[in-house]
């Protein structure tokens, strides 16, 4: 009963949307990479780097939105490294991706220690504050949940539409989707597969970094080690869950976030006093696995995902 | 070339090497406006390489390409397209997850433009498809189209860009005779519009039918050029192969006992590829049964069932006189079935394994090569060396990874592996695909020798000439159904074409034996 009550509180849904936001950014980023045919396992590390870069920029005195741009830029740099190794050189996308994650994570921690050698607890910044959209935020339940979020959350939702529009309605999106399905088709039309794939990986990595930056600049106001905590890997699963479509991936992100928000609240109910809290922590992951099993049966994998393309090779 | 002819295209002394292999050796070619030039040659003669160089997909080691007098920058497909060169690749360059229209307009608009201009594009595609008789729906997803339809999309792709020179790489390889006629009708319309066409083929009658002029490539070199009205098929074949072509000498078969029979075998469809539909077939000792048909009509299912990879969902497999209870690849091999698989790279060999390992791949558990779970390497190596010797496999040694061998030598190793086991039943699926004429003749003679020895051979091939030349009994397979059997020479090509399109035969002959 208590669980049903939780489902009808605005604070629960507000929390779900907040938890979903970084996942939406990073999932969109991964989706763009994979649509172009590149699996980007650097996502976890790029999120860490983005979280640090955005926060550090703001801590050093730049504006919040400049911080977001700095995070994006850092993400794109890692994307450039990833795509240089995987696209023109055609190296294993698994090895390069995991390597990028290790490199980005450890170089971030190193940079943190270099920048702040003395501190014991990380300093705080003035993070993004919730902005209540006039009129819309007055709608019961929906208003506080959807329209009293920080600007970065609104940006995440707007980006779902933008990415969808670009992928399905523009020549560029067409080229990206074709590059992930049959790169030979792209080459035969006189386009550069290398440029399209590298561009997609860079933009996608930039979005992943913004997803990380959401954690330090909107969800919290500080940077901790381990704060990304596997969210990147969840996003990889969310792309599959969404069958490589932005709208469905958004649904997946909200669903996962809702499970996560729910388990925290269920821990505080009478049920929580009898059951070990670890069980609740597992819940979103178990439910995600179940949902994945159901959804991924009909998933349409880009046919050339993880297949390098070398022009002029026979 | 007549004096008033306008030159559309010229290739000057194109040389292209892949490592040790010289695929094109100083090849020159010119095409006039409104002319159809056929590029004729065996597999591996360098036809596709030459066209890919022209189209900017390969960069030539030397030589230049000129289109309407302008020299094209090397290795730039975009420049080739902009100059009016379009290419229909043998392996279609279409993305299955996109619609016909999306595939056609891909890359035509600037990537920075925000709109796709869908309505105008659709109207133009429909107009082109009407004008050139290329029926296809712009909104259909390419993944759902048949091979013939995909080819129409490929041609529309070129026409939509308003190309002036159209290259078609083996366009008829995947078509039924009727579809081929339709294609030719479309091409004639295109010529009327002033397009020039380069038509790559190794089918002589098609070349004679459509081309004004024929250029023959042999082993990467120009072997000659001639106007079609001044030549005939035999002369072309001689130019192509370097000698007068002689079909293998086949003596009448003396069929013996039935060795393997399929009784009303049905297998599930896989995607758009049909499975078998209540197929009955008996393989007899000392007989070659040929299976003709357009690719993707159930040949793969047939090969899988005979090879034990696929167990029928309905019907039985009968070995000798006993119905097989279980049907797996191991049982098939143990029952004396040897397989020459369709794709020697994918299913025939393991690329990084050496020749010894590949030679024993199917029978490593037999007493010849292992004992109580331990491999006997010295016997295995002797076996591989024997094959290399006897079948003239050109290689640095038996410890070479097989991926370093040419297709022909790889096929010889597979052939040796198959024949040295003295199989009762041989499944030969596209046994000569991609081989040069010498290797083809060798494989054919070995299959005939196996027949003489009393083996039953099932020959699956998309090359009608090959089926007709070797088989004692022929069936056509279309949409997973098997036609009644007929003997070599009993059918006209027109009748066969109808059957291959799945028309004109209704009943399978029930298995009498």
């Amino acid at each position: 009963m208590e669980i049903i009550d939780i489902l009808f509180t605005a604070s629960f849904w507000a929390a779900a949307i907040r938890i979903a936001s970084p996942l939406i950014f990073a999932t969109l980023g991964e989706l763009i990479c994979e649509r172009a045919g590149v699996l980007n396992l650097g996502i976890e590390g790029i999120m860490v780097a983005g979280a640090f870069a955005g926060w550090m920029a703001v801590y050093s005195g730049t504006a919040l939105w400049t911080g977001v741009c700095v995070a994006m830029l850092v993400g794109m740099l890692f994307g450039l490294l990833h795509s240089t190794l995987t696209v023109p050189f055609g190296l294993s996308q698994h090895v390069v991706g995991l390597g990028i994650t290790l490199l980005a994570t450890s170089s971030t921690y190193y940079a943190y220690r270099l920048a702040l050698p003395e501190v014991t607890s990380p300093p705080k910044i003035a993070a993004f504050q919730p902005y209540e959209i006039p009129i819309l935020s007055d709608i019961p339940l929906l208003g506080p949940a959807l329209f009293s979020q920080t600007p970065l959350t609104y940006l995440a939702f707007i980006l779902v539409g933008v990415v969808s529009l670009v992928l399905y309605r523009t020549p560029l999106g067409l080229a990206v989707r074709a590059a992930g399905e049959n790169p030979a088709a792209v080459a035969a039309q006189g386009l550069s597969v290398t440029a399209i794939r590298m561009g997609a990986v860079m933009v996608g990595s930039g979005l992943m970094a913004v997803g990380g930056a959401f954690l330090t600049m909107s969800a919290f106001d500080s940077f901790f080690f381990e704060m990304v905590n596997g969210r990147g890997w969840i996003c990889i699963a969310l792309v599959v869950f969404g069958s490589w479509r932005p709208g469905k991936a958004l649904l997946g992100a909200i669903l996962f976030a809702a499970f996560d928000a729910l388990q925290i609240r269920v821990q505080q109910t009478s049920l929580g006093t009898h059951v070990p809290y670890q069980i609740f922590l597992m819940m979103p992951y178990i439910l995600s696995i179940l949902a994945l099993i159901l959804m991924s049966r009909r998933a349409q994998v880009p046919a050339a995902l993880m297949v390098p393309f070398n022009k002029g090779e026979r | 070339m007549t004096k008033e002819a306008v030159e559309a295209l010229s290739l000057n002394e194109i040389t292209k090497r892949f490592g040790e292999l010289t695929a094109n050796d100083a090849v020159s070619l010119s095409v006039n406006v409104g002319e159809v030039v056929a590029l004729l040659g065996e597999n591996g003669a360098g036809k596709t390489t030459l066209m890919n160089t022209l189209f900017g997909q390969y960069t030539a080691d030397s030589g230049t390409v000129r289109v309407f007098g302008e020299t094209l920058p090397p290795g730039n497909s975009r420049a080739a397209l902009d100059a009016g060169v379009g290419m229909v690749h043998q392996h279609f360059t279409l993305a299955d997850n996109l619609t016909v229209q999306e595939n056609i307009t891909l890359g035509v608009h600037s990537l920075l433009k925000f709109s796709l201009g869908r309505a105008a594009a659709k109207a133009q595609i429909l107009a082109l498809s009407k004008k050139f008789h290329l029926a296809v729906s712009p909104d259909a997803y390419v993944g759902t189209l048949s091979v013939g339809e995909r080819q129409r999309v490929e041609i529309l792709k070129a026409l939509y860009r308003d190309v002036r020179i159209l290259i078609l790489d083996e366009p008829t390889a995947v078509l039924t005779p009727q579809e081929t006629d339709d294609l030719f009708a479309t091409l004639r319309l295109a010529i009327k519009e002033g397009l020039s066409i380069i038509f790559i083929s190794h089918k002589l009658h098609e070349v004679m039918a459509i081309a004004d002029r024929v250029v023959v490539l042999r082993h990467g070199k120009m072997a000659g050029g001639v106007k079609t009205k001044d030549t005939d098929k035999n002369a072309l074949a001689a130019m192509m192969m370097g000698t007068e072509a002689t079909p293998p000498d086949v003596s009448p078969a003396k069929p013996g006992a039935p060795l393997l029979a399929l009784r009303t075998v049905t297998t599930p469809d896989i995607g758009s590829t049909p499975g078998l539909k209540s197929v009955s077939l008996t393989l007899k000792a000392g007989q070659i049964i040929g299976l003709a048909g357009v690719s993707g009509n159930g040949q793969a299912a047939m090969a899988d069932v005979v090879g034990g990879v696929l167990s029928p969902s309905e019907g039985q497999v009968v070995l000798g006189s006993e119905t097989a209870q279980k049907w797996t690849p191991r049982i098939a091999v143990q029952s004396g079935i040897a397989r020459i698989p369709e794709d020697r790279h994918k299913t025939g060999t393991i690329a990084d394994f050496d020749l010894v390992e590949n030679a024993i791949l199917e029978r490593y558990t037999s007493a010849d090569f292992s004992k109580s779970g331990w491999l006997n390497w010295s016997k295995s190596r002797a076996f591989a060396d024997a094959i290399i010797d006897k079948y003239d496999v050109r290689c640095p040694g038996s410890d070479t990874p097989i991926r370093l061998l040419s297709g022909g030598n790889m096929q010889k190793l597979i052939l040796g592996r198959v024949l040295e086991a003295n199989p009762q039943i041989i499944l030969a699926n596209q046994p000569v695909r991609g081989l040069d004429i010498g290797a083809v003749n060798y494989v054919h003679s070995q299959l005939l020798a196996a027949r003489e020895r009393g083996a039953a051979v099932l020959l699956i091939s998309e090359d009608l000439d090959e089926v007709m030349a070797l088989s004692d009994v022929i069936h056509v397979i279309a949409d997973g159904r098997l036609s009644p059997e007929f003997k070599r020479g009993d059918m006209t090509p027109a009748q066969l074409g109808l059957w291959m399109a799945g028309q004109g035969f209704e009943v399978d002959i029930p298995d009498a034996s």
Side-chain angles (χ1 to χ4, degrees):
Chain A
M1 275 308 104
E2 286 166 299
I3 296 178
I4 309 278
D5 292 338
I6 292 170
L7 288 179
F8 284 99
T9 58
S11 75
F12 162 72
W13 285 106
I17 297 296
R18 191 174 62 243
I19 295 169
S21 300
L23 301 178
I24 296 170
F25 281 114
T27 304
L28 285 177
E30 183 67 33
L31 188 144
I32 294 171
C33 297
E34 293 191 17
R35 270 297 179 140
V38 181
L39 176 74
N40 190 345
L41 290 183
I43 183 168
E44 179 80 7
I46 292 171
M47 286 181 80
V48 175
F52 173 75
W55 169 79
M56 196 66 214
V58 175
Y59 177 69
S60 320
T62 68
L64 277 170
W65 285 108
T66 316
V68 173
C69 293
V70 168
M72 174 122 194
L73 226 76
V74 167
M76 290 177 83
L77 279 177
F78 280 110
L80 177 64
L81 178 62
H82 185 289
S83 58
T84 306
L85 295 174
T86 53
V87 181
F89 293 137
L91 300 183
S92 157
Q93 297 181 5
H94 288 108
V95 174
V96 170
L98 293 175
I100 295 277
T101 281
L102 293 174
L103 175 72
T105 308
S106 44
S107 57
T108 298
Y109 294 168
Y110 182 62
Y112 175 85
R113 275 291 164 227
L114 276 188
L116 304 163
E118 304 287 319
V119 299
T120 47
S121 68
K124 293 183 188 309
I125 58 166
F128 280 105
Q129 293 304 312
Y131 173 77
E132 297 196 357
I133 297 178
I135 305 166
L136 287 178
S137 59
D138 296 334
I139 305 171
L141 194 61
L142 217 59
L146 272 177
F147 301 109
S148 308
Q149 300 282 354
T150 66
L152 269 186
T153 296
Y154 300 137
L155 179 65
F157 277 80
I158 293 167
L159 275 177
V160 175
V162 171
V163 169
S164 210
L165 214 62
V166 170
L167 272 181
Y168 291 101
R169 295 276 155 177
T170 67
L172 180 66
L174 193 57
V176 169
R177 286 186 290 144
E181 187 74 13
N182 184 3
V186 177
Q189 291 284 51
L191 299 173
S192 163
V193 177
T194 307
I196 289 166
R197 285 188 161 178
M198 286 185 75
V201 172
M202 285 179 68
V203 170
S205 302
L207 288 183
M208 294 169 192
V210 175
F214 182 92
L215 296 173
T216 50
M217 299 172 65
S218 184
F220 307 99
D221 50 10
S222 193
F223 176 82
F224 310 99
F225 292 161
E226 313 292 341
M227 79 185 303
V228 173
N229 194 19
R231 281 183 177 82
W233 310 134
I234 292 293
C235 293
I236 301 230
L238 286 176
V239 172
V240 181
F241 178 88
S243 191
W244 287 267
R245 289 169 175 275
K248 279 191 183 175
L250 169 71
L251 280 183
I254 293 176
L255 195 68
F256 177 84
F259 286 145
D260 205 14
L262 187 64
Q263 62 89 8
I264 297 169
R265 283 160 178 75
V266 173
Q267 280 186 48
Q268 288 144 14
T269 64
S270 55
L271 196 64
T273 54
H274 300 297
V275 182
Y277 74 95
Q278 287 92 343
I279 301 285
F280 296 108
L281 283 178
M282 285 193 302
M283 201 168 69
Y285 297 93
I286 291 170
L287 291 174
S288 303
I289 289 170
L290 290 178
L292 259 176
I293 291 170
L294 291 177
M295 290 288 287
S296 56
R297 281 201 192 149
R298 279 168 299 151
Q300 305 249 312
V301 193
L305 181 61
M306 291 188 282
V307 182
F309 179 75
N310 288 314
K311 191 184 164 193
E313 201 172 71
R314 61 188 296 177
Chain B
M1 265 160 280
T2 48
K3 273 189 186 129
E4 62 273 22
V6 182
E7 185 186 85
L9 166 83
S10 77
L11 298 171
N12 306 306
E13 304 274 313
I14 298 281
T15 298
K16 174 69 187 170
R17 292 185 202 91
F18 294 102
E20 296 283 289
L21 177 81
T22 303
N24 290 144
D25 191 357
V27 178
S28 299
L29 171 73
S30 78
V31 181
N32 294 331
V33 171
E35 191 183 27
V36 180
V37 173
L39 199 55
L40 188 67
E42 278 296 303
N43 288 317
K47 307 180 296 277
T48 302
T49 304
L50 186 66
M51 289 304 109
N52 278 334
T53 306
L54 159 58
F55 190 59
Q57 290 193 312
Y58 294 157
T59 307
D61 292 304
S62 67
T64 54
V65 178
R66 276 189 304 146
V67 177
F68 296 109
E70 302 281 321
T71 303
L72 287 186
N76 187 337
S77 300
R78 167 125 256 167
L81 279 166
D82 289 346
V85 180
M87 181 156 175
V88 174
H89 292 80
Q90 185 181 4
H91 304 288
F92 300 147
T93 53
L94 299 170
D96 285 355
N97 64 339
L98 306 182
T99 64
V100 168
Q101 179 170 343
E102 287 175 326
N103 267 291
I104 291 173
T105 55
L106 173 64
V108 176
H109 305 291
S110 158
L111 291 187
L112 301 175
K113 237 177 91 179
F114 201 68
S115 157
L116 279 166
R118 288 179 183 228
K122 187 168 179 177
Q124 199 186 340
I125 291 167
L126 286 173
L128 282 172
S129 89
K130 195 164 167 219
K131 184 169 169 193
F132 291 98
H133 303 310
L134 293 161
V136 65
S137 158
D139 297 322
Y141 280 91
V142 165
T144 65
L145 300 184
S146 72
V147 175
E149 289 172 310
R150 285 174 199 226
Q151 184 170 67
R152 282 177 236 153
V153 178
E154 281 279 8
I155 296 171
L156 278 172
K157 240 164 82 174
L159 295 174
Y160 185 81
R161 282 179 176 265
D162 201 19
V163 299
R164 305 314 300 156
I165 301 162
L166 185 60
I167 310 165
L168 297 139
D169 190 358
E170 306 235 4
T172 58
V174 292
L175 302 183
T176 62
Q178 276 75 11
E179 284 176 319
T180 302
D181 290 344
D182 294 343
L183 171 70
F184 282 7
T186 296
L187 295 185
R188 291 200 178 93
L189 288 171
I191 299 159
K192 261 194 208 147
E193 295 289 316
L195 268 77
S196 311
I197 290 173
I198 302 179
F199 184 89
I200 304 180
S201 183
H202 55 192
K203 295 184 184 168
L204 298 168
H205 60 277
E206 290 173 358
V207 166
M208 292 301 290
I210 190 83
D212 300 316
R213 197 152 57 84
V214 183
V215 171
V216 181
L217 281 185
R218 189 167 71 229
H219 302 312
K221 293 197 181 92
M222 284 278 291
V226 65
K227 291 202 167 148
T228 36
K229 64 175 196 282
D230 302 335
T231 188
D232 60 24
K233 281 203 254 181
N234 289 345
L236 285 178
M239 273 169 87
M240 203 160 108
M241 296 169 191
T243 51
E244 292 282 349
T246 45
D249 192 20
V250 183
S251 56
K254 300 173 278 292
L259 298 179
L260 179 81
L262 308 184
R263 295 238 171 93
T264 62
V265 163
T266 297
T267 65
D269 296 350
I270 297 164
S272 58
T273 312
L276 299 178
K277 299 193 177 84
S278 193
V279 163
S280 297
L281 181 72
T282 306
L283 303 180
K284 291 180 185 148
Q287 189 183 50
I288 296 182
I289 293 192
L291 197 62
V294 180
S295 77
N297 268 289
Q299 289 97 328
M302 175 67 95
D304 284 351
V305 168
V306 173
V309 179
L310 186 65
S311 194
S313 56
E314 280 169 48
Q316 293 103 37
V317 178
V318 182
L319 271 168
S321 55
E322 272 180 66
T323 304
Q325 297 303 322
K326 258 178 75 186
W327 193 234
T328 67
R330 173 155 296 178
I331 293 172
V333 171
Q334 282 168 349
S335 315
I337 297 178
R339 303 166 297 179
I340 302 173
E342 177 180 14
D343 187 337
R344 54 182 161 266
H345 300 278
K346 231 179 188 170
T347 47
T349 57
I350 297 178
D352 284 323
F353 278 23
D354 65 21
L355 268 61
V356 178
E357 289 163 323
N358 272 297
I360 64 167
L361 212 51
E362 286 191 305
R363 296 193 300 128
Y364 60 89
T365 53
S366 83
D368 293 349
F369 306 117
S370 65
K371 202 179 154 194
S372 42
W374 294 91
L375 283 171
N376 185 335
W377 282 116
S378 57
K379 272 191 184 170
S380 305
R381 193 159 293 119
F383 179 66
D385 286 335
I387 293 178
I388 291 169
D389 243 30
K390 190 166 166 191
Y391 293 85
D392 189 28
V393 182
R394 307 268 168 86
C395 64
S398 58
D399 53 356
T400 317
I402 200 159
R403 67 182 154 79
L404 298 179
L405 268 57
S406 73
N409 283 310
M410 219 182 261
Q411 195 72 344
K412 283 183 192 165
L413 184 94
I414 292 175
L415 194 69
R417 175 173 89 189
V418 161
L419 296 177
E420 287 305 292
N422 271 325
Q424 287 196 293
I425 302 160
I426 298 171
L427 165 65
N429 193 358
Q430 314 285 357
V432 299
R433 177 181 277 178
L435 301 189
D436 64 47
I437 188 74
V440 168
N441 287 337
Y442 184 76
V443 171
H444 284 170
S445 67
Q446 289 295 322
L447 287 177
L448 286 169
R451 185 196 75 162
E452 290 307 307
R453 188 170 59 60
V457 180
L458 175 61
L459 171 69
I460 303 177
S461 175
E462 283 149 31
D463 184 348
L464 206 49
D465 295 339
E466 181 184 18
V467 175
M468 297 289 235
L470 289 184
S471 316
D472 305 308
V473 169
I474 301 167
H475 291 271
V476 169
I477 189 165
D479 196 30
R481 296 180 310 131
L482 205 62
S483 75
E485 65 172 47
F486 59 92
K487 296 226 157 48
R488 193 182 355 217
D490 282 359
M491 293 273 282
T492 65
Q495 268 175 301
L496 262 179
L498 219 57
W499 279 20
M500 282 163 75
Q503 292 157 359
F505 71 88
E506 285 304 323
V507 267
D508 304 307
I509 288 195
D511 194 5
S513 59

